Amino acid sequence: MYDAIVIGAGIMGSATAYYLAKAGASTLVLEQFPRGHTFGSSHGDSRIIRLIYEKQFYTELMKYAYAEWQDLEKEAGKDLLFTTGSVIIGPEGHEYLHDMRVSLDAAGVESEWWNQQQLSDHFPQFKIGDGVDVLWQKDTGLLHASACVLTYLKLAETHGAEVREDTPVIEIDWQGTQSEVITKGERFRAKKVIVTAGGWTGYLLNELNLPLTVTRQQVVYYQPTDANLFQRGRFPIFLDVTWNEVLYGFPVFGGEGVKIARHGMGQPVSPDTCNRNPDPAYIEHIRSFLRERIPDAAGKALFAQVCLYTETPDEDFIIDTHPDCANLVLATGFSGHGFKFASLVGRMLSEMALEGITDFDISPFQLGRFEK
Ligand SMILES: Cc1cc2nc3c(=O)[nH]c(=O)nc-3n(C[C@H](O)[C@H](O)[C@H](O)COP(=O)(O)OP(=O)(O)OC[C@H]3O[C@@H](n4cnc5c(N)ncnc54)[C@H](O)[C@@H]3O)c2cc1C
């Protein structure tokens, strides 16, 4: 009998296990693959962390999430968050940039509009012409993603959690007073069950008919003409919405390549049968953007990787208690922008499981919004 069972050890489950174990709860983590695997959403070197959001409630939550990541770094004794600053680039007067600025101002977060000359002065790697707006925000950075997952799991174990890898959960029996989690050949009982199963959540909680679409996403690492030009400190994180799609990229981190990708627009897939081989046409599409915008990064593709988004219709998360079972908490639907929040989501889920309530405002993430 455990206080809590966490199903899924991506970034959300790993963070949750850490907070539960640290609070003294006997915690079991069940993960269907080996830890650090590459079949879900949390693998790879880097994820963007930023305060910039069009919806202010995300910016407000991110203030807490940053602090939690910094606390994790202190406890782990290692750097996981690297500040780079960011530029958001878009056509003059673009609603997306405008809404981000309004949200940042309302949240009391500093940002700056830059003109073409200011962008060239700071980051000559970008080639932009007239009629383009640039929004600079200094606190943006990257999280060393795979290291964050492993660090949370290791610290969870240090605080007493048990992590079982290669252990798929087949069923959750939540009808009784205590929930039972069933794997191939074993049954585990717990006072609380937390489902953080990413793109597989719909299968485990079939009865909820969750409005989730799992999509296939790709990231590519391009060889720059000179890697020094793209080191942290010399090149920022960027998002570019100029061509009716959101393209984003990172400075060089953990290798030689400049990581570039398109946000969203991936085809719906099953997480179990998704094609894991990157598409040559996608790699070429991104390279054509680079040739125009960042020509020094438009070299050969060194490496490419497939990853999954689990999307909700409004792209807001789902963080809630099961409507028919107070002992079951779920968090999914992170819609391609959840990683940066994991430090806070882990804390929220742990509080919801142990105290029945969290201090943070999770009203935008309630399941009930889909019934309206
Ligand atoms: C290409 C890409 C780029 C992204 N960029 C950013 C970014 O820059 N910034 C940002 O904030 N976010 C970003 N995201 C989103 C972020 O990475 C995800 O929101 C986050 O990783 C979701 O984590 P998760 O734990 O919910 O899911 P997952 O990482 O998929 O974890 C779910 C886990 O549950 C396990 N599981 C599932 N079913 C079972 C079962 N039955 N039994 C046992 N285990 C099970 C799975 O094996 C998996 O390990 C990006 C995502 C992708 C794909």
Side-chain angles (χ1 to χ4, degrees):
M1 178 72 172
Y2 293 89
D3 289 327
I5 295 179
V6 179
I7 303 175
I11 191 59
M12 299 303 168
S14 304
T16 306
Y18 161 75
Y19 284 96
L20 285 164
K22 198 174 171 183
S26 60
T27 304
L28 172 66
V29 181
L30 299 171
E31 165 57 51
Q32 63 182 342
F33 298 125
R35 76 178 69 192
H37 68 87
T38 58
F39 303 113
S41 304
S42 304
H43 54 282
D45 275 336
S46 51
R47 292 291 187 280
I48 299 172
I49 175 166
R50 57 184 159 102
L51 289 158
I52 310 171
Y53 263 93
E54 316 95 281
K55 296 179 182 171
Q56 195 193 334
F57 62 82
Y58 281 119
T59 303
E60 300 296 348
L61 289 176
M62 274 312 301
K63 293 177 185 171
Y64 295 101
Y66 264 93
E68 296 291 333
W69 286 115
Q70 282 152 0
D71 286 350
L72 175 68
E73 286 182 305
K74 269 187 223 137
E75 186 174 340
K78 65 168 97 152
D79 293 333
L80 296 165
L81 194 170
F82 301 84
T83 306
T84 61
S86 62
V87 286
I88 318 287
I89 302 171
E92 211 170 337
H94 197 284
E95 201 185 356
Y96 185 61
L97 275 71
H98 171 266
D99 291 352
M100 285 175 163
R101 177 66 189 240
V102 169
S103 160
L104 289 172
D105 285 351
V109 175
E110 276 177 46
S111 63
E112 292 173 26
W113 288 118
W114 281 358
N115 59 28
Q116 189 188 343
Q117 190 57 50
Q118 285 168 302
L119 181 65
S120 299
D121 291 346
H122 286 91
F123 303 117
Q125 299 90 336
F126 292 98
K127 306 295 170 213
I128 62 167
D130 292 334
V132 169
D133 281 341
V134 177
L135 184 64
W136 161 256
Q137 212 291 315
K138 68 178 173 48
D139 301 300
T140 302
L142 65 87
L143 290 161
H144 189 177
S146 51
C148 290
V149 175
L150 297 179
T151 300
Y152 269 136
L153 285 176
K154 188 156 176 276
L155 287 179
E157 288 173 316
T158 306
H159 290 294
E162 190 183 332
V163 180
R164 293 214 189 182
E165 301 167 49
D166 296 309
T167 310
V169 171
I170 296 163
E171 197 187 330
I172 309 165
D173 181 356
W174 48 264
Q175 313 273 2
T177 44
Q178 291 152 1
S179 296
E180 284 203 330
V181 176
I182 301 159
T183 65
K184 214 180 176 182
E186 277 185 288
R187 299 172 83 93
F188 303 94
R189 279 188 303 147
K191 293 181 191 154
K192 302 284 172 171
V193 175
I194 300 100
V195 180
T196 47
W200 289 266
T201 307
Y203 302 130
L204 273 174
L205 299 174
N206 190 21
E207 72 281 359
L208 290 182
N209 207 8
L210 296 169
L212 298 174
T213 307
V214 179
T215 62
R216 177 173 173 269
Q217 308 291 330
Q218 305 173 69
V219 301
V220 188
Y221 292 73
Y222 294 89
Q223 184 166 42
T225 50
D226 176 0
N228 288 324
L229 281 175
F230 292 93
Q231 295 299 321
R232 274 183 292 123
R234 292 190 70 182
F235 189 70
I237 280 170
F238 75 86
L239 266 80
D240 196 324
V241 296
T242 308
W243 287 281
N244 289 329
E245 51 187 0
V246 182
L247 297 156
Y248 64 92
F250 296 74
V252 169
F253 183 76
E256 294 271 294
V258 183
K259 177 178 159 183
I260 312 283
R262 178 174 67 199
H263 171 66
M265 301 171 77
Q267 66 269 54
V269 290
S270 148
D272 291 320
T273 56
C274 168
N275 172 10
R276 305 280 166 179
N277 299 314
D279 305 335
Y282 176 88
I283 294 173
E284 206 37 56
H285 173 73
I286 303 282
R287 192 188 281 108
S288 62
F289 154 78
L290 289 172
R291 275 200 204 99
E292 195 158 330
R293 184 62 99 211
I294 316 171
D296 280 323
K300 73 171 179 196
L302 297 171
F303 174 62
Q305 201 165 38
V306 166
C307 184
L308 303 176
Y309 279 6
T310 306
E311 302 181 30
T312 63
D314 55 12
E315 295 181 19
D316 293 328
F317 312 152
I318 294 173
I319 302 174
D320 209 342
T321 302
H322 190 296
D324 300 315
C325 179
N327 297 334
L328 202 158
V329 175
L330 68 144
T332 183
F334 289 97
S335 302
H337 64 112
F339 202 101
K340 63 182 84 58
F341 291 91
S343 57
L344 188 61
V345 172
R347 185 172 154 188
M348 288 170 172
L349 294 175
S350 164
E351 289 173 355
M352 288 164 75
L354 299 180
E355 294 153 37
I357 191 162
T358 171
D359 287 342
F360 298 95
D361 180 13
I362 53 166
S363 56
F365 310 130
Q366 284 170 349
L367 265 174
R369 73 184 189 273
F370 301 115
E371 286 158 18
K372 287 172 196 157

